[in-house]
Amino acid sequence: MARAPRLTESASAVFAVLAQAGTATRPQLASLARLSKPTVSSAVAELEGVHLAAHSGTSSGGTGRSAAVYRLGPAAGAVLAVDLGPALTRVRGCALDGSLLAEATGPREDAADVVREALGALPADAPLRTIVVAVGDVAAPQRVRPATAKAGPVFDTVTVALPPGVPVHLENNVNCAALAELHEGSARGRDTFGYLRIGVGIGLGIVVGGRVLRGANGAAGELARLPYPWDDDREPRHEALEEYIGARSLLRRAAESWPEADGPCPESTERLFALAGEGRAAARAVVGRHGTDVGRLAAAVTAVLDPGLIVLGGSTGADAQVLAGVRAELDRLSWPTEVITGTLGELGTVVGAARLAVARGVQTVTEAARAKD
C-alpha cells in the first residue's frame, strides 16, 4: 500500500471536504472547511503537488467570473468493500469521493475469486487505502490486519486475495445495511431508528444520532442472544430465537401445516411468499404468523430503544406481506412506532460497507497531517 504523504492540517481539512463534495471551487472549499481563502489556496496547491487534488475544469459565476473546479487526484486512491453474504459475495471498489470504480458478485464459496475480479478492475495507479469486510457475526470495533483477523473459514480464504499491508476492518453486515438505509435508503432524514433484518438469521442495526451503535463488544443488536423461550416450563436455549424466526424454521412450519390438497409444500421462502401473494390460504397463514412473530420482536426492540422508526429488511422481513402483521402486533404491544420496509434490499450491506470504507480511506489520508500550519 502506498503511504499517504504527510500533510499540513489545512491541507488535510481541505482534502476531507473535497472528498465529501466530489468537486468544488476554492471559495466553496473555504466555506466548507471554514478556512480563509489564502489558506485554502495554499492547501490546494499542496494537494495538487502530491497529486491528491487535480484541476477539473472551471465554473462560471453570476458575475461572469470563472472559478477553477477541483476534484480528487489520482494519488487519493481507492477502497474496497466486501460483503460475505450467506449465499453470495458482493464486492465494490470506490474512489474516496464515493464514486463506483469496480464491482463483482459471485457464489460465497468463490469469494476469493470475486475479490480478485474487483481488485483487477480498479485503476492500476490508485493506491488501495483500506478494506472493509462485512461479516454475519460480531465484529469488534477495532482495526485488524489480514493476517490476524478472525471471521470464519470464508474470511480466511478471502485474505489470500487481499493485498498485503492494506488495513482491513471487519464490520457486522446488519450494521452496514443500517448505515446504507440511513444515507441512501428509506431512513434518509431520520437520525434515530432500528434496522430489523429477518432472513436466514436475525439482527438489529441501531442508529442513534446518525451513528451506528456498536456496543462495548461490538455486539449491540445481536437479537439472536435474546433469551427464548421465556416461560415457566421451558428453558431458554442458545440462539433459540433466531432458530425460531429464521427462514429455515419458517419453511419447517409451513411443511408441518401444509395440506396435501394444496400440492407440494414450497421448498424456498421465495416460493412460499409467492404462493401467499397468489392468495393460497395455507401460505397466507404461515406468512401472516411470521408477520406477527416479527412484530413481537419489533415490540421488544421498541421497549428498549423507543427508536420512533423500525426499518424492515432481510429476505423474509422486507416482504411487503409481512409489513401489516408487524404494524398490527407492534400497535397492540407497544407505543406508536413507524414501521417501513427498507429500499436497498440485498445490496444494502455492500452499499453500507462501501460508505464505511470510503470514510476510513479518507481518514488514512487525513491522519497523515503531522506538520502544523
Side-chain angles (χ1 to χ4, degrees), residues 14-53:
V14 169
F15 180 85
V17 297
L18 182 58
Q20 186 171 14
T23 60
T25 63
R26 278 180 288 187
Q28 290 171 333
L29 291 171
S31 176
L32 292 169
R34 297 182 180 180
L35 296 171
S36 69
K37 291 182 180 179
T39 299
V40 167
S41 294
S42 176
V44 168
E46 180 183 345
L47 293 172
E48 284 189 291
V50 291
H51 308 292
L52 288 175

PDB file of all heavy atoms in Angstrom, residues 14-53:
ATOM      1  N   VAL A  14      -8.936  20.374   3.918  1.00  0.00           N
ATOM      2  CA  VAL A  14      -9.443  20.624   2.571  1.00  0.00           C
ATOM      3  C   VAL A  14      -9.637  19.314   1.817  1.00  0.00           C
ATOM      4  O   VAL A  14     -10.621  19.129   1.096  1.00  0.00           O
ATOM      5  CB  VAL A  14      -8.497  21.568   1.801  1.00  0.00           C
ATOM      6  CG1 VAL A  14      -8.864  21.629   0.318  1.00  0.00           C
ATOM      7  CG2 VAL A  14      -8.546  22.965   2.410  1.00  0.00           C
ATOM      8  N   PHE A  15      -8.726  18.369   1.990  1.00  0.00           N
ATOM      9  CA  PHE A  15      -8.877  17.067   1.340  1.00  0.00           C
ATOM     10  C   PHE A  15     -10.154  16.382   1.803  1.00  0.00           C
ATOM     11  O   PHE A  15     -10.896  15.815   1.000  1.00  0.00           O
ATOM     12  CB  PHE A  15      -7.670  16.179   1.641  1.00  0.00           C
ATOM     13  CG  PHE A  15      -7.763  14.816   1.011  1.00  0.00           C
ATOM     14  CD1 PHE A  15      -7.354  14.610  -0.296  1.00  0.00           C
ATOM     15  CD2 PHE A  15      -8.275  13.737   1.717  1.00  0.00           C
ATOM     16  CE1 PHE A  15      -7.452  13.354  -0.894  1.00  0.00           C
ATOM     17  CE2 PHE A  15      -8.382  12.482   1.142  1.00  0.00           C
ATOM     18  CZ  PHE A  15      -7.967  12.297  -0.170  1.00  0.00           C
ATOM     19  N   ALA A  16     -10.438  16.442   3.095  1.00  0.00           N
ATOM     20  CA  ALA A  16     -11.629  15.779   3.632  1.00  0.00           C
ATOM     21  C   ALA A  16     -12.900  16.365   3.048  1.00  0.00           C
ATOM     22  O   ALA A  16     -13.819  15.624   2.662  1.00  0.00           O
ATOM     23  CB  ALA A  16     -11.640  15.882   5.158  1.00  0.00           C
ATOM     24  N   VAL A  17     -12.997  17.674   2.954  1.00  0.00           N
ATOM     25  CA  VAL A  17     -14.225  18.275   2.427  1.00  0.00           C
ATOM     26  C   VAL A  17     -14.315  18.092   0.918  1.00  0.00           C
ATOM     27  O   VAL A  17     -15.419  17.956   0.361  1.00  0.00           O
ATOM     28  CB  VAL A  17     -14.340  19.765   2.808  1.00  0.00           C
ATOM     29  CG1 VAL A  17     -14.422  19.922   4.312  1.00  0.00           C
ATOM     30  CG2 VAL A  17     -13.211  20.594   2.249  1.00  0.00           C
ATOM     31  N   LEU A  18     -13.167  18.048   0.235  1.00  0.00           N
ATOM     32  CA  LEU A  18     -13.201  17.795  -1.210  1.00  0.00           C
ATOM     33  C   LEU A  18     -13.669  16.373  -1.494  1.00  0.00           C
ATOM     34  O   LEU A  18     -14.441  16.137  -2.438  1.00  0.00           O
ATOM     35  CB  LEU A  18     -11.819  18.036  -1.818  1.00  0.00           C
ATOM     36  CG  LEU A  18     -11.704  17.850  -3.335  1.00  0.00           C
ATOM     37  CD1 LEU A  18     -12.664  18.772  -4.083  1.00  0.00           C
ATOM     38  CD2 LEU A  18     -10.266  18.086  -3.798  1.00  0.00           C
ATOM     39  N   ALA A  19     -13.241  15.425  -0.680  1.00  0.00           N
ATOM     40  CA  ALA A  19     -13.694  14.036  -0.840  1.00  0.00           C
ATOM     41  C   ALA A  19     -15.202  13.943  -0.653  1.00  0.00           C
ATOM     42  O   ALA A  19     -15.887  13.215  -1.393  1.00  0.00           O
ATOM     43  CB  ALA A  19     -12.970  13.131   0.143  1.00  0.00           C
ATOM     44  N   GLN A  20     -15.736  14.672   0.299  1.00  0.00           N
ATOM     45  CA  GLN A  20     -17.172  14.632   0.553  1.00  0.00           C
ATOM     46  C   GLN A  20     -17.951  15.348  -0.537  1.00  0.00           C
ATOM     47  O   GLN A  20     -19.032  14.905  -0.938  1.00  0.00           O
ATOM     48  CB  GLN A  20     -17.487  15.254   1.912  1.00  0.00           C
ATOM     49  CG  GLN A  20     -18.946  15.127   2.320  1.00  0.00           C
ATOM     50  CD  GLN A  20     -19.192  15.554   3.750  1.00  0.00           C
ATOM     51  OE1 GLN A  20     -18.338  16.181   4.376  1.00  0.00           O
ATOM     52  NE2 GLN A  20     -20.342  15.212   4.286  1.00  0.00           N
ATOM     53  N   ALA A  21     -17.408  16.451  -1.043  1.00  0.00           N
ATOM     54  CA  ALA A  21     -18.118  17.236  -2.053  1.00  0.00           C
ATOM     55  C   ALA A  21     -18.008  16.623  -3.446  1.00  0.00           C
ATOM     56  O   ALA A  21     -18.891  16.803  -4.280  1.00  0.00           O
ATOM     57  CB  ALA A  21     -17.584  18.661  -2.066  1.00  0.00           C
ATOM     58  N   GLY A  22     -16.934  15.915  -3.720  1.00  0.00           N
ATOM     59  CA  GLY A  22     -16.716  15.361  -5.065  1.00  0.00           C
ATOM     60  C   GLY A  22     -15.969  16.342  -5.944  1.00  0.00           C
ATOM     61  O   GLY A  22     -14.870  16.071  -6.417  1.00  0.00           O
ATOM     62  N   THR A  23     -16.548  17.496  -6.185  1.00  0.00           N
ATOM     63  CA  THR A  23     -15.895  18.596  -6.891  1.00  0.00           C
ATOM     64  C   THR A  23     -16.252  19.890  -6.177  1.00  0.00           C
ATOM     65  O   THR A  23     -17.341  20.013  -5.596  1.00  0.00           O
ATOM     66  CB  THR A  23     -16.334  18.693  -8.361  1.00  0.00           C
ATOM     67  OG1 THR A  23     -17.762  18.904  -8.410  1.00  0.00           O
ATOM     68  CG2 THR A  23     -15.973  17.435  -9.136  1.00  0.00           C
ATOM     69  N   ALA A  24     -15.351  20.868  -6.219  1.00  0.00           N
ATOM     70  CA  ALA A  24     -15.608  22.143  -5.548  1.00  0.00           C
ATOM     71  C   ALA A  24     -14.613  23.185  -6.022  1.00  0.00           C
ATOM     72  O   ALA A  24     -13.494  22.865  -6.453  1.00  0.00           O
ATOM     73  CB  ALA A  24     -15.516  21.987  -4.031  1.00  0.00           C
ATOM     74  N   THR A  25     -15.020  24.441  -5.947  1.00  0.00           N
ATOM     75  CA  THR A  25     -14.123  25.559  -6.214  1.00  0.00           C
ATOM     76  C   THR A  25     -13.408  25.931  -4.918  1.00  0.00           C
ATOM     77  O   THR A  25     -13.801  25.495  -3.826  1.00  0.00           O
ATOM     78  CB  THR A  25     -14.894  26.778  -6.727  1.00  0.00           C
ATOM     79  OG1 THR A  25     -15.806  27.210  -5.698  1.00  0.00           O
ATOM     80  CG2 THR A  25     -15.694  26.426  -7.983  1.00  0.00           C
ATOM     81  N   ARG A  26     -12.386  26.782  -5.021  1.00  0.00           N
ATOM     82  CA  ARG A  26     -11.687  27.207  -3.813  1.00  0.00           C
ATOM     83  C   ARG A  26     -12.598  27.985  -2.847  1.00  0.00           C
ATOM     84  O   ARG A  26     -12.531  27.759  -1.629  1.00  0.00           O
ATOM     85  CB  ARG A  26     -10.435  28.006  -4.181  1.00  0.00           C
ATOM     86  CG  ARG A  26      -9.250  27.098  -4.537  1.00  0.00           C
ATOM     87  CD  ARG A  26      -8.023  27.874  -4.891  1.00  0.00           C
ATOM     88  NE  ARG A  26      -8.156  28.523  -6.205  1.00  0.00           N
ATOM     89  CZ  ARG A  26      -7.168  29.169  -6.825  1.00  0.00           C
ATOM     90  NH1 ARG A  26      -5.984  29.288  -6.229  1.00  0.00           N
ATOM     91  NH2 ARG A  26      -7.361  29.714  -8.004  1.00  0.00           N
ATOM     92  N   PRO A  27     -13.451  28.898  -3.345  1.00  0.00           N
ATOM     93  CA  PRO A  27     -14.376  29.550  -2.410  1.00  0.00           C
ATOM     94  C   PRO A  27     -15.305  28.551  -1.706  1.00  0.00           C
ATOM     95  O   PRO A  27     -15.602  28.695  -0.517  1.00  0.00           O
ATOM     96  CB  PRO A  27     -15.166  30.512  -3.308  1.00  0.00           C
ATOM     97  CG  PRO A  27     -14.238  30.814  -4.432  1.00  0.00           C
ATOM     98  CD  PRO A  27     -13.509  29.530  -4.674  1.00  0.00           C
ATOM     99  N   GLN A  28     -15.759  27.543  -2.446  1.00  0.00           N
ATOM    100  CA  GLN A  28     -16.609  26.528  -1.826  1.00  0.00           C
ATOM    101  C   GLN A  28     -15.831  25.730  -0.786  1.00  0.00           C
ATOM    102  O   GLN A  28     -16.353  25.425   0.297  1.00  0.00           O
ATOM    103  CB  GLN A  28     -17.174  25.595  -2.897  1.00  0.00           C
ATOM    104  CG  GLN A  28     -18.216  26.246  -3.796  1.00  0.00           C
ATOM    105  CD  GLN A  28     -18.593  25.378  -4.980  1.00  0.00           C
ATOM    106  OE1 GLN A  28     -17.800  24.547  -5.433  1.00  0.00           O
ATOM    107  NE2 GLN A  28     -19.802  25.587  -5.494  1.00  0.00           N
ATOM    108  N   LEU A  29     -14.587  25.398  -1.080  1.00  0.00           N
ATOM    109  CA  LEU A  29     -13.759  24.676  -0.122  1.00  0.00           C
ATOM    110  C   LEU A  29     -13.503  25.510   1.125  1.00  0.00           C
ATOM    111  O   LEU A  29     -13.502  24.992   2.244  1.00  0.00           O
ATOM    112  CB  LEU A  29     -12.428  24.278  -0.774  1.00  0.00           C
ATOM    113  CG  LEU A  29     -12.501  23.210  -1.867  1.00  0.00           C
ATOM    114  CD1 LEU A  29     -11.160  23.068  -2.569  1.00  0.00           C
ATOM    115  CD2 LEU A  29     -12.934  21.865  -1.277  1.00  0.00           C
ATOM    116  N   ALA A  30     -13.301  26.813   0.932  1.00  0.00           N
ATOM    117  CA  ALA A  30     -13.082  27.699   2.076  1.00  0.00           C
ATOM    118  C   ALA A  30     -14.301  27.713   2.987  1.00  0.00           C
ATOM    119  O   ALA A  30     -14.186  27.673   4.222  1.00  0.00           O
ATOM    120  CB  ALA A  30     -12.754  29.112   1.588  1.00  0.00           C
ATOM    121  N   SER A  31     -15.490  27.741   2.381  1.00  0.00           N
ATOM    122  CA  SER A  31     -16.712  27.749   3.164  1.00  0.00           C
ATOM    123  C   SER A  31     -16.915  26.423   3.882  1.00  0.00           C
ATOM    124  O   SER A  31     -17.254  26.396   5.078  1.00  0.00           O
ATOM    125  CB  SER A  31     -17.904  28.033   2.246  1.00  0.00           C
ATOM    126  OG  SER A  31     -19.122  27.954   2.952  1.00  0.00           O
ATOM    127  N   LEU A  32     -16.711  25.313   3.180  1.00  0.00           N
ATOM    128  CA  LEU A  32     -16.928  24.001   3.770  1.00  0.00           C
ATOM    129  C   LEU A  32     -15.921  23.689   4.877  1.00  0.00           C
ATOM    130  O   LEU A  32     -16.262  23.092   5.895  1.00  0.00           O
ATOM    131  CB  LEU A  32     -16.861  22.926   2.685  1.00  0.00           C
ATOM    132  CG  LEU A  32     -17.988  22.921   1.657  1.00  0.00           C
ATOM    133  CD1 LEU A  32     -17.653  21.992   0.496  1.00  0.00           C
ATOM    134  CD2 LEU A  32     -19.300  22.494   2.315  1.00  0.00           C
ATOM    135  N   ALA A  33     -14.658  24.086   4.669  1.00  0.00           N
ATOM    136  CA  ALA A  33     -13.608  23.792   5.646  1.00  0.00           C
ATOM    137  C   ALA A  33     -13.492  24.866   6.718  1.00  0.00           C
ATOM    138  O   ALA A  33     -12.733  24.698   7.676  1.00  0.00           O
ATOM    139  CB  ALA A  33     -12.265  23.629   4.938  1.00  0.00           C
ATOM    140  N   ARG A  34     -14.211  25.980   6.518  1.00  0.00           N
ATOM    141  CA  ARG A  34     -14.166  27.109   7.452  1.00  0.00           C
ATOM    142  C   ARG A  34     -12.749  27.629   7.608  1.00  0.00           C
ATOM    143  O   ARG A  34     -12.231  27.837   8.720  1.00  0.00           O
ATOM    144  CB  ARG A  34     -14.751  26.715   8.810  1.00  0.00           C
ATOM    145  CG  ARG A  34     -16.226  26.326   8.734  1.00  0.00           C
ATOM    146  CD  ARG A  34     -16.796  25.994  10.092  1.00  0.00           C
ATOM    147  NE  ARG A  34     -18.214  25.637   9.976  1.00  0.00           N
ATOM    148  CZ  ARG A  34     -18.978  25.290  11.002  1.00  0.00           C
ATOM    149  NH1 ARG A  34     -18.463  25.242  12.228  1.00  0.00           N
ATOM    150  NH2 ARG A  34     -20.265  24.991  10.821  1.00  0.00           N
ATOM    151  N   LEU A  35     -12.114  27.816   6.458  1.00  0.00           N
ATOM    152  CA  LEU A  35     -10.762  28.351   6.413  1.00  0.00           C
ATOM    153  C   LEU A  35     -10.747  29.592   5.537  1.00  0.00           C
ATOM    154  O   LEU A  35     -11.636  29.795   4.706  1.00  0.00           O
ATOM    155  CB  LEU A  35      -9.787  27.310   5.844  1.00  0.00           C
ATOM    156  CG  LEU A  35      -9.595  26.023   6.661  1.00  0.00           C
ATOM    157  CD1 LEU A  35      -8.774  25.019   5.864  1.00  0.00           C
ATOM    158  CD2 LEU A  35      -8.927  26.321   7.999  1.00  0.00           C
ATOM    159  N   SER A  36      -9.738  30.420   5.704  1.00  0.00           N
ATOM    160  CA  SER A  36      -9.615  31.615   4.881  1.00  0.00           C
ATOM    161  C   SER A  36      -9.263  31.231   3.446  1.00  0.00           C
ATOM    162  O   SER A  36      -8.691  30.163   3.188  1.00  0.00           O
ATOM    163  CB  SER A  36      -8.541  32.536   5.444  1.00  0.00           C
ATOM    164  OG  SER A  36      -7.254  31.949   5.291  1.00  0.00           O
ATOM    165  N   LYS A  37      -9.596  32.112   2.516  1.00  0.00           N
ATOM    166  CA  LYS A  37      -9.301  31.832   1.108  1.00  0.00           C
ATOM    167  C   LYS A  37      -7.802  31.681   0.849  1.00  0.00           C
ATOM    168  O   LYS A  37      -7.386  30.780   0.108  1.00  0.00           O
ATOM    169  CB  LYS A  37      -9.916  32.914   0.230  1.00  0.00           C
ATOM    170  CG  LYS A  37     -11.449  32.868   0.205  1.00  0.00           C
ATOM    171  CD  LYS A  37     -12.027  33.930  -0.705  1.00  0.00           C
ATOM    172  CE  LYS A  37     -13.563  33.858  -0.703  1.00  0.00           C
ATOM    173  NZ  LYS A  37     -14.166  34.913  -1.566  1.00  0.00           N
ATOM    174  N   PRO A  38      -6.933  32.535   1.434  1.00  0.00           N
ATOM    175  CA  PRO A  38      -5.494  32.318   1.228  1.00  0.00           C
ATOM    176  C   PRO A  38      -5.014  30.970   1.756  1.00  0.00           C
ATOM    177  O   PRO A  38      -4.185  30.304   1.128  1.00  0.00           O
ATOM    178  CB  PRO A  38      -4.853  33.487   1.992  1.00  0.00           C
ATOM    179  CG  PRO A  38      -5.901  34.545   2.020  1.00  0.00           C
ATOM    180  CD  PRO A  38      -7.194  33.809   2.143  1.00  0.00           C
ATOM    181  N   THR A  39      -5.556  30.545   2.922  1.00  0.00           N
ATOM    182  CA  THR A  39      -5.168  29.243   3.481  1.00  0.00           C
ATOM    183  C   THR A  39      -5.604  28.109   2.574  1.00  0.00           C
ATOM    184  O   THR A  39      -4.861  27.145   2.346  1.00  0.00           O
ATOM    185  CB  THR A  39      -5.773  29.061   4.884  1.00  0.00           C
ATOM    186  OG1 THR A  39      -5.291  30.085   5.745  1.00  0.00           O
ATOM    187  CG2 THR A  39      -5.399  27.710   5.470  1.00  0.00           C
ATOM    188  N   VAL A  40      -6.804  28.220   2.016  1.00  0.00           N
ATOM    189  CA  VAL A  40      -7.306  27.186   1.111  1.00  0.00           C
ATOM    190  C   VAL A  40      -6.478  27.149  -0.167  1.00  0.00           C
ATOM    191  O   VAL A  40      -6.159  26.073  -0.684  1.00  0.00           O
ATOM    192  CB  VAL A  40      -8.795  27.414   0.795  1.00  0.00           C
ATOM    193  CG1 VAL A  40      -9.238  26.551  -0.383  1.00  0.00           C
ATOM    194  CG2 VAL A  40      -9.646  27.090   2.015  1.00  0.00           C
ATOM    195  N   SER A  41      -6.117  28.317  -0.695  1.00  0.00           N
ATOM    196  CA  SER A  41      -5.289  28.348  -1.905  1.00  0.00           C
ATOM    197  C   SER A  41      -3.968  27.641  -1.676  1.00  0.00           C
ATOM    198  O   SER A  41      -3.498  26.858  -2.521  1.00  0.00           O
ATOM    199  CB  SER A  41      -5.039  29.800  -2.333  1.00  0.00           C
ATOM    200  OG  SER A  41      -6.247  30.409  -2.737  1.00  0.00           O
ATOM    201  N   SER A  42      -3.368  27.870  -0.511  1.00  0.00           N
ATOM    202  CA  SER A  42      -2.115  27.199  -0.178  1.00  0.00           C
ATOM    203  C   SER A  42      -2.325  25.699  -0.022  1.00  0.00           C
ATOM    204  O   SER A  42      -1.516  24.889  -0.486  1.00  0.00           O
ATOM    205  CB  SER A  42      -1.544  27.795   1.105  1.00  0.00           C
ATOM    206  OG  SER A  42      -0.379  27.111   1.507  1.00  0.00           O
ATOM    207  N   ALA A  43      -3.445  25.316   0.621  1.00  0.00           N
ATOM    208  CA  ALA A  43      -3.731  23.897   0.826  1.00  0.00           C
ATOM    209  C   ALA A  43      -3.977  23.183  -0.496  1.00  0.00           C
ATOM    210  O   ALA A  43      -3.506  22.057  -0.698  1.00  0.00           O
ATOM    211  CB  ALA A  43      -4.942  23.748   1.745  1.00  0.00           C
ATOM    212  N   VAL A  44      -4.724  23.821  -1.405  1.00  0.00           N
ATOM    213  CA  VAL A  44      -4.991  23.205  -2.703  1.00  0.00           C
ATOM    214  C   VAL A  44      -3.691  23.021  -3.478  1.00  0.00           C
ATOM    215  O   VAL A  44      -3.466  21.975  -4.112  1.00  0.00           O
ATOM    216  CB  VAL A  44      -6.000  24.056  -3.508  1.00  0.00           C
ATOM    217  CG1 VAL A  44      -6.059  23.588  -4.962  1.00  0.00           C
ATOM    218  CG2 VAL A  44      -7.382  23.988  -2.879  1.00  0.00           C
ATOM    219  N   ALA A  45      -2.815  24.009  -3.426  1.00  0.00           N
ATOM    220  CA  ALA A  45      -1.530  23.881  -4.106  1.00  0.00           C
ATOM    221  C   ALA A  45      -0.726  22.720  -3.529  1.00  0.00           C
ATOM    222  O   ALA A  45      -0.072  21.962  -4.265  1.00  0.00           O
ATOM    223  CB  ALA A  45      -0.746  25.187  -3.978  1.00  0.00           C
ATOM    224  N   GLU A  46      -0.783  22.581  -2.205  1.00  0.00           N
ATOM    225  CA  GLU A  46      -0.094  21.459  -1.557  1.00  0.00           C
ATOM    226  C   GLU A  46      -0.666  20.129  -2.019  1.00  0.00           C
ATOM    227  O   GLU A  46       0.087  19.186  -2.340  1.00  0.00           O
ATOM    228  CB  GLU A  46      -0.210  21.597  -0.040  1.00  0.00           C
ATOM    229  CG  GLU A  46       0.471  20.474   0.728  1.00  0.00           C
ATOM    230  CD  GLU A  46       0.273  20.610   2.240  1.00  0.00           C
ATOM    231  OE1 GLU A  46      -0.136  21.687   2.697  1.00  0.00           O
ATOM    232  OE2 GLU A  46       0.521  19.612   2.951  1.00  0.00           O
ATOM    233  N   LEU A  47      -1.991  20.026  -2.073  1.00  0.00           N
ATOM    234  CA  LEU A  47      -2.628  18.778  -2.504  1.00  0.00           C
ATOM    235  C   LEU A  47      -2.336  18.476  -3.966  1.00  0.00           C
ATOM    236  O   LEU A  47      -2.108  17.315  -4.336  1.00  0.00           O
ATOM    237  CB  LEU A  47      -4.134  18.862  -2.270  1.00  0.00           C
ATOM    238  CG  LEU A  47      -4.597  18.921  -0.810  1.00  0.00           C
ATOM    239  CD1 LEU A  47      -6.099  19.191  -0.729  1.00  0.00           C
ATOM    240  CD2 LEU A  47      -4.253  17.633  -0.072  1.00  0.00           C
ATOM    241  N   GLU A  48      -2.342  19.504  -4.806  1.00  0.00           N
ATOM    242  CA  GLU A  48      -2.009  19.292  -6.221  1.00  0.00           C
ATOM    243  C   GLU A  48      -0.576  18.807  -6.371  1.00  0.00           C
ATOM    244  O   GLU A  48      -0.274  17.962  -7.233  1.00  0.00           O
ATOM    245  CB  GLU A  48      -2.213  20.580  -7.008  1.00  0.00           C
ATOM    246  CG  GLU A  48      -3.668  20.920  -7.296  1.00  0.00           C
ATOM    247  CD  GLU A  48      -3.795  22.077  -8.261  1.00  0.00           C
ATOM    248  OE1 GLU A  48      -3.452  23.212  -7.857  1.00  0.00           O
ATOM    249  OE2 GLU A  48      -4.211  21.851  -9.414  1.00  0.00           O
ATOM    250  N   GLY A  49       0.315  19.323  -5.528  1.00  0.00           N
ATOM    251  CA  GLY A  49       1.719  18.959  -5.630  1.00  0.00           C
ATOM    252  C   GLY A  49       1.987  17.498  -5.361  1.00  0.00           C
ATOM    253  O   GLY A  49       2.957  16.931  -5.876  1.00  0.00           O
ATOM    254  N   VAL A  50       1.125  16.876  -4.551  1.00  0.00           N
ATOM    255  CA  VAL A  50       1.297  15.443  -4.260  1.00  0.00           C
ATOM    256  C   VAL A  50       0.203  14.616  -4.938  1.00  0.00           C
ATOM    257  O   VAL A  50      -0.023  13.459  -4.574  1.00  0.00           O
ATOM    258  CB  VAL A  50       1.307  15.192  -2.735  1.00  0.00           C
ATOM    259  CG1 VAL A  50       2.568  15.777  -2.116  1.00  0.00           C
ATOM    260  CG2 VAL A  50       0.055  15.760  -2.067  1.00  0.00           C
ATOM    261  N   HIS A  51      -0.493  15.223  -5.900  1.00  0.00           N
ATOM    262  CA  HIS A  51      -1.498  14.543  -6.733  1.00  0.00           C
ATOM    263  C   HIS A  51      -2.703  14.020  -5.948  1.00  0.00           C
ATOM    264  O   HIS A  51      -3.364  13.076  -6.377  1.00  0.00           O
ATOM    265  CB  HIS A  51      -0.856  13.396  -7.517  1.00  0.00           C
ATOM    266  CG  HIS A  51       0.353  13.806  -8.293  1.00  0.00           C
ATOM    267  ND1 HIS A  51       0.267  14.652  -9.382  1.00  0.00           N
ATOM    268  CD2 HIS A  51       1.674  13.524  -8.126  1.00  0.00           C
ATOM    269  CE1 HIS A  51       1.499  14.865  -9.866  1.00  0.00           C
ATOM    270  NE2 HIS A  51       2.367  14.190  -9.118  1.00  0.00           N
ATOM    271  N   LEU A  52      -2.998  14.662  -4.792  1.00  0.00           N
ATOM    272  CA  LEU A  52      -4.207  14.316  -4.051  1.00  0.00           C
ATOM    273  C   LEU A  52      -5.401  15.141  -4.519  1.00  0.00           C
ATOM    274  O   LEU A  52      -6.548  14.822  -4.196  1.00  0.00           O
ATOM    275  CB  LEU A  52      -3.996  14.524  -2.554  1.00  0.00           C
ATOM    276  CG  LEU A  52      -3.075  13.504  -1.870  1.00  0.00           C
ATOM    277  CD1 LEU A  52      -2.838  13.889  -0.423  1.00  0.00           C
ATOM    278  CD2 LEU A  52      -3.647  12.096  -1.961  1.00  0.00           C
ATOM    279  N   ALA A  53      -5.153  16.206  -5.253  1.00  0.00           N
ATOM    280  CA  ALA A  53      -6.207  17.019  -5.858  1.00  0.00           C
ATOM    281  C   ALA A  53      -5.784  17.363  -7.267  1.00  0.00           C
ATOM    282  O   ALA A  53      -4.591  17.401  -7.587  1.00  0.00           O
ATOM    283  CB  ALA A  53      -6.463  18.289  -5.045  1.00  0.00           C
TER     284      ALA A  53
END
